[in-house]
Amino acid sequence: MARIKGIRVDKAVFSLIFHDFAEIADYTRPVNTAIYKLMKRCMPGPFTFILNANSNIGRLMNTRRKTVGVRIPNNKIICKLVESIGCPIVSTSLHDDDEIVKFPTDPLDIFDHYEDKVDMIIDGGVGHNQESTMIDCTSEEPLLVRQGAGIL
């Protein structure tokens, strides 16, 4: 993904997609009860939570990052895929230079643009053209970093 986005792997900031909360706990440090309840209320859904990473992140992503974005999307295709392979999937948004279509979500358009750069594209239909809501939970109090599709 770093190659597709034209950035160095060690500078890349990606999120991980999980299929359940138990899997998230394998890659992050424990959170307080209030943050856990917030995450349970918002996921699955259009939210990315930034959490303190544990040492498993370094092994998984070959990085020294201390934090990681985690998601459980409300999408049965990706959640079943993650569950079937038994580990999280690294994820990022595809940004487009188009002023109107900020994120390409039509599988045919994505295929036309990226077919020579990826091994596979799964056509789950046209997606939504809005970012996830991002919440930083690396401190005691959650901090809204980016308002997106998810409403608190």
Side-chain angles (χ1 to χ4, degrees):
M1 278 194 268
R3 181 176 42 89
I4 290 171
K5 292 182 93 166
I7 57 178
R8 292 180 18 194
V9 173
D10 60 334
K11 299 293 183 193
V13 178
F14 299 118
S15 294
L16 295 176
I17 294 179
F18 296 89
H19 79 281
D20 67 18
F21 283 90
E23 193 177 34
I24 291 173
D26 291 339
Y27 296 91
T28 62
R29 297 191 183 279
V31 296
N32 67 39
T33 303
I35 289 174
Y36 181 78
K37 286 180 179 180
L38 174 65
M39 291 171 58
K40 286 290 275 187
R41 189 175 78 231
C42 294
M43 293 194 293
F47 290 88
T48 301
F49 288 90
I50 302 168
L51 302 178
N52 290 308
N54 67 24
S55 60
N56 290 334
I57 288 296
R59 287 190 285 273
L60 177 72
M61 299 177 67
N62 195 23
T63 182
R64 292 184 178 165
R65 296 194 68 82
K66 302 287 186 217
T67 62
V68 63
V70 300
R71 297 202 58 214
I72 301 176
N74 192 12
N75 181 297
K76 291 179 182 177
I77 295 171
I78 191 67
C79 287
K80 275 297 193 191
L81 181 62
V82 170
E83 182 179 20
S84 69
I85 64 173
C87 66
I89 292 178
V90 179
S91 174
T92 188
S93 298
L94 294 174
H95 294 276
D96 198 312
D97 293 334
D98 188 316
E99 292 294 321
I100 297 170
V101 180
K102 193 173 182 181
F103 304 101
T105 60
D106 185 317
L108 296 175
D109 292 341
I110 294 169
F111 178 79
D112 288 343
H113 197 261
Y114 295 100
E115 69 176 304
D116 60 333
K117 296 177 179 151
V118 298
D119 295 323
M120 174 178 37
I121 295 173
I122 298 173
D123 185 346
V126 177
H128 301 287
N129 195 330
Q130 191 173 9
E131 301 168 304
S132 64
T133 294
M134 188 176 292
I135 303 169
D136 185 339
C137 297
T138 58
S139 301
E140 287 296 311
E141 292 293 320
L143 175 67
L144 181 65
V145 175
R146 176 183 71 205
Q147 181 62 58
I151 305 298
L152 293 173

